[in-house]
Amino acid sequence: MADPASKNKAAGGEDFALGLLDAAVAAMGGQRRDGQHEMVKQVVRSIETGDHLLVQAGTGTGKSLAYLIPLIAHALESDKPSLVATATLALQAQIVSRDLPRLLEAIAPLLPRPVKVALVKGRSNYVCRHKLDGGFPTEEPSDGQLFSLGEDTSVVHLPGTLTGPGTQLGREVVRLREWAEDTETGDRDELMPGVSDRAWRQVSVTSMECLGAQKCPLAETCFSELARARGAEADVIVTNHAMLAISAFEGLAVLPEYDVVVVDEAHELQDRVTGAVTGQLSVQMVQVAASSARKHTAISVEALATSAAALELALAGTPSGLLPQGLNEEQLVALDQLRDAARAALSDSKPEGNDPADGGRQIARSRLSLILELCERMLAAAEAHEVVWVSRQSTFNPQQGYQAPDESSPALLNVAPLSVAGKLREGLFADHTVVLTSATLAIGAAFEHTAGGLGLVGAGAPSWTGADVGSPFDYPKQGMLYVAKHLEKPGRGTSPEQLDELEALITAAGGGTLALFSSRRAAEDAAAAMRERLDMEILCQGESSMAALVKQFEAEPDTCLFGTMSLWQGVDVQGSSCRLVVIDRIPFPRPDDPLMTARTRAVAAAGGNGFMSISATHAAIRLAQGAGRLIRSTGDKGVVAVLDSRLATARYGGFLRAALPPFWSTTDRALVLDALGRLAKAE
């Protein structure tokens, strides 16, 4: 843990921070909020004592100001920058583009000097000048989607097409080249309008593909290196959860040294970290790596080809899902053979000492390195407490009611940590003071569920405190929670009875409905059904960009928006445009989720309740996030309707409800329809 002696002293501690908050609120025309003041105090105490802090701050608290001010005060006196890590690009952009500039302008007269702010992202979020200049080969059509090289790019690479100027992809690349001549940052998020992932792949490289500052002829003007240099000189750095994960798990210097970090959207941290360190290996990856090595390094790839064939045979017939006993003997032998082939290819493909920098060779070697790393992880999975499973391309299965693996498609071998707690304890919490905050961290008054998943509970765990600073909203008066207790337990897909209930609720509300579903197919089917039954605008996720859909939903009070998990957390619409939030079912993990299954079994094997510790906790936090879409300001009113009777009837229902805002609760359908009707008339 960070040394408390190095903490903020000269800046005046709590009194100074509260003075900055009052000045900022006054300058921005806001109002004093008790929860915001309490959160400032809690964050200051955490920084001063070195104890980690979990702080739940309900919607409307103004938590960004409440943690940014103590961070700024500390950074002014520290020789290391302070960090803010978010889960989503949207919040990252909001902090850098809106929250911090407004705050710094408001408190500038009270600060001893200007505060420097930097945004640090993964390398592939920036244009690569060397690639633009032809220093790397053109990407082969299917390469991009096969290799995830260990950093958060927020990009899903898709198969390429012809890139001539007459194609859509070609036109995007031309526009990217023109933009690259003018941009000062090379940051993808500054490109408006954006481009496809395929086009971006033509002008960017990952950290493993990069030649490095010592070899790249354009290192001095590299956008990524310049961003890292700004980060090294900054007082406050804004980054993302995945960069924290890479720093904690891999020990890579992807971030400047820091002593204090605030993790916003902290309910996402465990999943984001897990995602960042999950690896995937396929036969096609080996084939592409072999082709790339032969093309760019001229080495023999016969051993790689042979090992790819052996892996394909070893995986043939293995059903998708968790490998509870681990890899079988044939699979272990195939991976061992592939590991040796990849290691030999790496050795054979080393450049000579005086060879010039070669982008093609670097890409080929990065692919070989990734395959070697994945083989070593999978071979050591049992000893390292990692989980291995097989996955395949998914298709919609009408019998199961959701996307299911197509067992005829090629197998993918996956590996992920059974738990990220130990690594986070060692790589994040041991050497830094960490403040974790979100609107949904506690279930009831208990933070232990969240803390345990992050490594803060158990023998040898560091000290921490939990605090709930409340919300400025009067939830019992502003909102109702309606559980459709009369409906049957949800089955596969959306039932006719659920659709009837959805129709009745939307009709009573006169639109203004955000409907959240457990799957894309469920959202699409419900949207199609409501379009046939209702004479109002029904928007559905996937039919336009998320930003465009939310903008239209906000602008048209009688329009409805249907979608999935990304809307559960990504919609902040105030006023009458969102007066009804409908949730189709409790968001438990899918029963075939291999990692959740493995974690549930591990808890049970240790004598705990795997369902409550893993599935129910996962569902409670996400249910709270979905319900939190309703009340976004002190003037909002409305209903959260859950079309899953288990929330009222199951033994675990009380546990789930304890995570929700304290709405006025009912199962009376007639009462709710009447309330929605009155609300619609008032609007």
Side-chain angles (χ1 to χ4, degrees), residues 13-256:
E14 183 178 297
D15 290 341
F16 179 66
L18 289 175
L20 291 179
L21 176 63
D22 289 338
V25 170
M28 293 185 221
Q31 295 181 338
R32 178 190 174 108
R33 299 169 183 169
D34 291 342
Q36 197 174 45
H37 269 242
E38 178 60 26
M39 184 170 171
V40 169
K41 293 179 183 179
Q42 293 285 349
V43 176
V44 170
R45 289 170 191 164
S46 175
I47 293 174
E48 289 181 339
T49 63
D51 285 344
H52 305 302
L53 172 67
L54 278 72
V55 55
Q56 180 164 279
T59 306
T61 302
K63 61 183 171 65
S64 295
L65 288 188
Y67 65 67
L68 286 173
I69 284 173
L71 280 189
I72 290 169
H74 170 69
L76 288 170
E77 299 299 321
S78 174
D79 59 355
K80 296 179 181 178
S82 298
L83 239 64
V84 177
T86 72
T88 60
L89 290 175
L91 182 57
Q92 199 176 58
Q94 174 186 314
I95 291 172
V96 172
S97 303
R98 190 188 74 179
D99 295 349
L100 268 170
R102 292 178 61 201
L103 171 60
L104 292 174
E105 181 181 5
I107 64 176
L110 302 178
L111 301 180
R113 61 174 176 81
V115 172
K116 296 179 181 178
V117 177
L119 180 63
V120 175
K121 301 180 180 181
R123 189 174 294 276
S124 56
N125 288 281
Y126 302 93
V127 164
C128 172
R129 290 189 184 275
H130 190 44
K131 194 165 190 175
L132 280 175
D133 282 358
F136 287 83
T138 302
E139 288 299 309
E140 292 143 25
S142 62
D143 287 4
Q145 65 178 345
L146 301 174
F147 289 87
S148 175
L149 299 178
E151 63 183 72
D152 178 45
T153 64
S154 299
V155 171
V156 178
H157 299 310
L158 301 175
T161 60
L162 295 175
T163 58
T167 66
Q168 175 63 27
L169 179 59
R171 288 189 291 270
E172 288 184 329
V173 172
V174 168
R175 185 159 66 86
L176 274 170
R177 289 182 175 277
E178 293 172 348
W179 170 75
E181 294 297 321
D182 298 325
T183 177
E184 294 183 1
T185 67
D187 185 341
R188 182 180 183 179
D189 285 339
E190 294 187 7
L191 177 64
M192 293 295 173
V195 296
S196 67
D197 298 331
R198 289 179 296 173
W200 185 255
R201 179 64 179 159
Q202 304 303 314
V203 299
S204 66
V205 296
T206 66
S207 57
M208 289 184 72
E209 295 168 339
C210 176
L211 295 173
Q214 300 301 317
K215 294 183 179 179
C216 180
L218 297 178
E220 291 186 2
T221 58
C222 171
F223 289 121
S224 179
E225 291 297 323
L226 291 172
R228 290 168 190 268
R230 288 192 294 270
E233 297 176 355
D235 298 299
V236 177
I237 294 172
V238 182
T239 187
N240 55 50
H241 290 183
M243 295 290 279
L244 273 188
I246 294 167
S247 176
F249 275 72
E250 308 297 336
L252 300 178
V254 294
L255 296 169

Side-chain angles (χ1 to χ4, degrees), residues 449-628:
H449 294 92
T450 299
L454 298 175
L456 293 174
V457 174
S463 59
W464 62 278
T465 57
D468 186 345
V469 299
S471 168
F473 303 149
D474 189 345
Y475 283 110
K477 291 184 178 180
Q478 290 184 250
M480 297 173 64
L481 171 65
Y482 165 58
V483 182
K485 185 178 178 180
H486 62 283
L487 295 179
E488 292 293 326
K489 172 185 173 181
R492 293 166 177 165
T494 304
S495 70
E497 292 75 20
Q498 281 182 311
L499 292 176
D500 291 342
E501 192 76 8
L502 180 62
E503 178 187 4
L505 290 165
I506 295 176
T507 299
T513 300
L514 176 65
L516 305 174
F517 296 85
S518 53
S519 72
R520 175 70 69 90
R521 183 60 179 264
E524 292 170 348
D525 288 349
M530 293 304 106
R531 284 167 177 160
E532 291 182 357
R533 301 185 187 194
L534 301 172
D535 184 22
M536 60 183 66
E537 183 79 12
I538 307 288
L539 308 176
C540 189
Q541 183 179 354
E543 297 174 345
S544 182
S545 71
M546 187 69 71
L549 289 171
V550 173
K551 184 176 181 180
Q552 183 178 350
F553 176 60
E554 185 173 24
E556 301 172 0
D558 296 335
T559 289
C560 302
L561 175 58
F562 288 30
T564 58
M565 277 302 298
S566 54
L567 289 177
W568 288 60
Q569 302 180 86
V571 177
D572 185 4
V573 173
Q574 300 180 14
S576 61
S577 291
C578 186
R579 50 191 179 270
L580 171 63
V581 173
V582 180
I583 297 173
D584 73 331
R585 65 178 65 211
I586 297 169
F588 289 119
R590 278 178 45 164
D592 61 349
D593 185 313
L595 194 52
M596 288 294 188
T597 300
R599 288 174 173 173
T600 298
R601 292 177 180 177
V603 171
N609 186 322
F611 171 76
M612 294 302 295
S613 296
I614 304 300
S615 295
T617 298
H618 176 278
I621 296 298
R622 278 148 188 79
L623 192 64
Q625 283 287 318

Side-chain angles (χ1 to χ4, degrees), residues 270-529:
Q270 183 179 11
D271 287 346
R272 297 279 175 160
V273 168
T274 301
V277 298
T278 296
Q280 189 174 81
L281 177 66
S282 71
V283 171
Q284 192 180 4
M285 279 177 63
V286 181
Q287 293 169 339
V288 170
S291 174
S292 183
R294 182 178 61 248
K295 179 179 178 180
H296 299 298
T297 71
I299 65 171
S300 171
V301 295
E302 184 177 349
L304 284 170
T306 301
S307 60
L311 181 62
E312 186 170 23
L313 282 174
L315 294 176
T318 305
S320 301
L322 178 67
L323 301 177
Q325 306 305 318
L327 297 157
N328 63 32
E329 187 63 27
E330 184 183 6
Q331 291 161 351
L332 289 169
V333 169
L335 285 173
D336 189 64
Q337 181 180 350
L338 177 56
R339 175 183 60 182
D340 291 345
R343 182 182 290 123
L346 274 170
S347 178
D348 293 344
S349 62
K350 284 181 180 178
E352 298 296 333
N354 297 323
D355 284 355
D358 182 345
R361 182 184 296 273
Q362 182 67 19
I363 287 178
R365 286 177 54 78
S366 71
R367 290 169 175 166
L368 294 170
S369 295
L370 178 61
I371 289 170
L372 175 60
E373 175 194 325
L374 289 170
C375 288
E376 290 180 335
R377 280 184 68 183
M378 291 174 182
L379 288 167
E383 295 79 11
H385 302 291
E386 292 211 285
V387 178
V388 180
W389 71 95
V390 172
S391 63
R392 287 179 173 83
Q393 180 180 348
S394 294
T395 56
F396 182 72
N397 187 314
Q399 284 72 42
Q400 294 179 307
Y402 55 78
Q403 296 288 116
D406 175 4
E407 296 296 339
S408 65
S409 62
L412 306 171
L413 204 53
N414 305 265
V415 61
L418 179 62
S419 170
V420 297
K423 280 288 190 178
L424 285 177
R425 182 188 294 187
E426 177 185 331
L428 178 62
F429 294 108
D431 299 316
H432 313 97
T433 300
V434 184
V435 175
L436 302 126
T437 185
S438 169
T440 51
L441 280 184
I443 297 176
F447 290 87
E448 280 72 17
H449 294 92
T450 299
L454 298 175
L456 293 174
V457 174
S463 59
W464 62 278
T465 57
D468 186 345
V469 299
S471 168
F473 303 149
D474 189 345
Y475 283 110
K477 291 184 178 180
Q478 290 184 250
M480 297 173 64
L481 171 65
Y482 165 58
V483 182
K485 185 178 178 180
H486 62 283
L487 295 179
E488 292 293 326
K489 172 185 173 181
R492 293 166 177 165
T494 304
S495 70
E497 292 75 20
Q498 281 182 311
L499 292 176
D500 291 342
E501 192 76 8
L502 180 62
E503 178 187 4
L505 290 165
I506 295 176
T507 299
T513 300
L514 176 65
L516 305 174
F517 296 85
S518 53
S519 72
R520 175 70 69 90
R521 183 60 179 264
E524 292 170 348
D525 288 349

